[in-house]
Amino acid sequence: MPKLTMYSLLILSLAGYVLIGYFIERSNFELLITVYSSLFLLSYLILKNKRHYNFKVLLLSGVLFRFCLIFSTPALSDDFYRFFWDGRIQQLGFNPFDFTPRQFLNQNSDAFLSQLFPYLNSPDYFSVYPQLSQILFNIVSVIGKDSLQTNLIAIKSMIFLSEIGTLYLLNTLVNKRKQDPSHLLIYLLNPLVIIELTGNIHLEAFMIFFFLLAVILFYRQQFIGSATALSLSIQTKLLPILVIPFLIKKIGIKKTIGYGLACLLITAFISIGSINTTDRISHIVESLNLYYGKFEFNGGIYLFFRTIGWAIMGYNPIGILSKLMILCTLAGILFVYLKDSDMLSGFFWVLIIYLGFAAIIHPWYLTPLIALSIFVRFRFILVWSALIPLSYISYRTLPYNENYWIIVLEYVVVIGYLLWETKILTPAAKPVILK
């Protein structure tokens, strides 16, 4: 295809990112999903014809798409208000794990916190963000002070830089594994990654960066450095701890235990300054229990079993069902451990199992899977990434209300595509998105 077509697709994409970043509220679902879907279509057309395009231009475009969102205020997520709250709490000399926001304001006054409080989505829950996240929030608060806009630019700049680092690490891994360099475009140009990380400020950006760094250092047999990087990934989001058992088949049980202990000690050392009392630990556990035993959003398999349970019991069995889902998750993860020994593909399938049985699956939860999908032959996660923005239909009205038909559509298409890829439905099926 001619270069003019490539530049046209890229200019249209840039316009779409500007629209979503600066002009569309999540309550305007019809416009949001139209632009979001258009971005996926444009991304697909670029990927389909990537061999005819200048790779360096595509690389710079992926960076530009992220950069153009640095100065926007997220409209699709309000989590960032809690980030700024926790950072401000630390600047005032308090520990973010000691008080819920409502408890704090009942005992203390602060103009900036009073400005943030009405926007918090969890004013009665203790913070659940691990220590590295808290350090980042503190740094942002030092930079941003009382300015919401400066806080936004500061944390978005950090995410932007981590994304640049992630692209470099992905390229390093692709080259090391002798894969087609254009596979980097899977992550580089995915609209969900661009919009949800730099655009909507989600900490998966740091988790992905430090996890990939841990893998590269492990391949180089720099085990202490790798354990440190993995600890930092865990200190952003807890899930990367699940990768440690994959090391057994590579370095043996003894070295794996040593690696795990090193990771644990580094994590403890980083955390000891603020998570150092039984009350603070219990507060974190309390909030996590509420999260996993009370909330639900876009959980496909969970919704299926909840519907059955409700029909049998006459009420929402989330308390029982959440425990059953945990058991299914553990069984599935154990199966992956026995079948796979690769850190990248293994962690991909572990995350699939984890999300498959989760009661809450927000769109940005898929971003680590999109990065890891570069190293597996399946492309169903890209189909899922294109469909999961449909879940934003829940925010069209107040109070928020899920559309179960949309959830059914999302999971039927994704599972159907996966079955097609695994040749269960047709022996000739192969991934086609990156042809």
Side-chain angles (χ1 to χ4, degrees):
M1 298 179 70
K3 286 187 177 181
L4 179 60
T5 303
M6 177 189 71
Y7 290 125
S8 299
L9 294 174
L10 294 175
I11 291 170
L12 286 172
S13 296
L14 179 61
Y17 289 116
V18 170
L19 275 174
I20 283 188
Y22 295 87
F23 299 103
I24 301 178
E25 297 294 329
R26 69 180 180 181
S27 58
N28 190 349
F29 173 74
E30 290 77 9
L31 180 58
L32 171 65
I33 201 62
T34 298
V35 178
Y36 220 138
S37 300
S38 298
L39 286 170
F40 271 102
L41 176 60
L42 293 168
S43 175
Y44 170 79
L45 292 174
I46 293 170
L47 289 173
K48 184 178 179 182
N49 298 284
K50 64 184 184 298
R51 299 191 187 282
H52 302 286
Y53 296 155
N54 187 312
F55 182 78
K56 290 183 179 179
V57 172
L58 296 179
L59 180 63
L60 291 173
S61 297
V63 173
L64 176 61
F65 296 158
R66 289 162 169 82
F67 181 79
C68 78
L69 295 173
I70 287 180
F71 307 98
S72 66
T73 300
L76 304 184
S77 173
D78 49 17
D79 287 354
F80 66 93
Y81 291 108
R82 186 57 183 259
F83 303 165
F84 300 159
W85 177 281
D86 283 5
R88 180 69 165 190
I89 289 288
Q90 295 174 73
Q91 283 299 298
L92 294 175
F94 295 93
N95 190 301
F97 302 109
D98 284 345
F99 307 92
T100 67
R102 195 179 304 277
Q103 288 173 347
F104 186 86
L105 277 190
N106 286 338
Q107 302 175 32
N108 305 275
S109 62
D110 180 82
F112 187 60
L113 292 181
S114 297
Q115 177 188 351
L116 295 177
F117 185 80
Y119 300 100
L120 297 178
N121 56 30
S122 53
D124 297 306
Y125 302 139
F126 295 99
S127 181
V128 296
Y129 297 104
Q131 187 56 29
L132 178 62
S133 299
Q134 295 295 342
I135 292 171
L136 294 172
F137 301 159
N138 198 356
I139 294 171
V140 167
S141 184
V142 170
I143 298 170
K145 300 187 182 342
D146 294 339
S147 169
L148 179 61
Q149 187 62 33
T150 306
N151 275 266
L152 280 168
I153 294 173
I155 196 168
K156 283 197 170 197
S157 297
M158 291 180 179
I159 290 179
F160 174 76
L161 291 174
S162 74
E163 280 281 86
I164 300 301
T166 292
L167 294 172
Y168 172 79
L169 296 175
L170 284 172
N171 186 61
T172 301
L173 286 166
V174 165
N175 291 334
K176 180 177 179 59
R177 294 163 74 101
K178 295 180 171 50
Q179 294 180 231
D180 183 345
S182 67
H183 283 186
L184 181 64
L185 299 176
I186 293 174
Y187 186 85
L188 174 71
L189 297 178
N190 188 283
L192 189 77
V193 172
I194 297 169
I195 292 169
E196 299 299 345
L197 296 188
T198 307
N200 289 318
I201 313 179
H202 292 297
L203 304 181
E204 279 76 4
F206 302 110
M207 167 191 155
I208 295 168
F209 170 78
F210 285 114
F211 174 76
L212 294 175
L213 180 60
V215 172
I216 288 175
L217 293 175
F218 181 84
Y219 284 163
R220 294 174 180 173
Q221 297 187 335
Q222 299 175 14
F223 297 138
I224 297 300
S226 176
T228 301
L230 186 63
S231 173
L232 293 174
S233 185
I234 294 167
Q235 285 293 312
T236 308
K237 294 282 184 174
L238 299 176
L239 288 175
I241 197 172
L242 297 173
V243 81
I244 293 177
F246 289 110
L247 309 183
I248 295 175
K249 293 181 181 179
K250 293 186 175 295
I251 59 176
I253 293 179
K254 187 175 180 180
K255 288 185 178 180
T256 299
I257 292 174
Y259 183 100
L261 286 174
C263 188
L264 179 63
L265 288 172
I266 294 166
T267 301
F269 177 78
I270 295 172
S271 303
I272 197 67
S274 60
I275 309 175
N276 50 15
T277 68
T278 55
D279 283 344
R280 289 168 180 168
I281 294 173
S282 67
H283 288 165
I284 296 172
V285 172
E286 177 185 328
S287 291
L288 288 173
N289 285 337
L290 284 169
Y291 182 84
Y292 287 106
K294 181 178 180 180
F295 301 136
E296 51 189 59
F297 180 82
N298 195 43
I301 296 175
Y302 165 82
L303 176 62
F304 174 75
F305 284 106
R306 192 199 72 177
T307 303
I308 295 175
W310 205 319
I312 295 173
M313 301 179 182
Y315 62 88
N316 186 347
I318 185 172
I320 300 172
L321 194 54
S322 60
K323 296 177 177 62
L324 176 61
M325 293 294 100
I326 290 174
L327 289 176
C328 292
T329 300
L330 292 175
I333 289 175
L334 178 60
F335 178 79
V336 175
Y337 287 150
L338 296 174
K339 290 289 186 180
D340 203 331
S341 62
D342 183 70
M343 293 176 70
L344 294 167
S345 63
F347 192 41
F348 174 87
W349 291 111
V350 162
L351 288 180
I352 288 293
I353 296 294
Y354 171 80
L355 291 178
F357 290 105
I360 306 171
I361 308 177
H362 290 295
W364 56 91
Y365 289 10
L366 299 191
T367 53
L369 284 168
I370 296 167
L372 293 168
S373 70
I374 293 174
F375 309 105
V376 299
R377 73 179 185 90
F378 295 95
R379 297 291 175 254
F380 69 93
I381 191 63
L382 303 186
V383 176
W384 196 1
S385 72
L387 289 172
I388 201 169
L390 290 170
S391 64
Y392 280 119
I393 195 174
S394 302
Y395 302 106
R396 187 169 54 174
T397 59
L398 285 174
Y400 302 139
N401 188 29
E402 286 192 280
N403 186 311
Y404 297 125
W405 291 110
I406 290 292
I407 297 175
V408 169
L409 171 66
E410 174 189 340
Y411 283 91
V412 166
V413 173
V414 171
I415 293 172
Y417 193 88
L418 172 60
L419 293 175
W420 183 73
E421 283 196 304
T422 53
K423 304 179 182 180
I424 291 177
L425 296 183
T426 167
K430 293 181 181 178
V432 296
I433 284 187
L434 294 178
K435 279 187 177 179

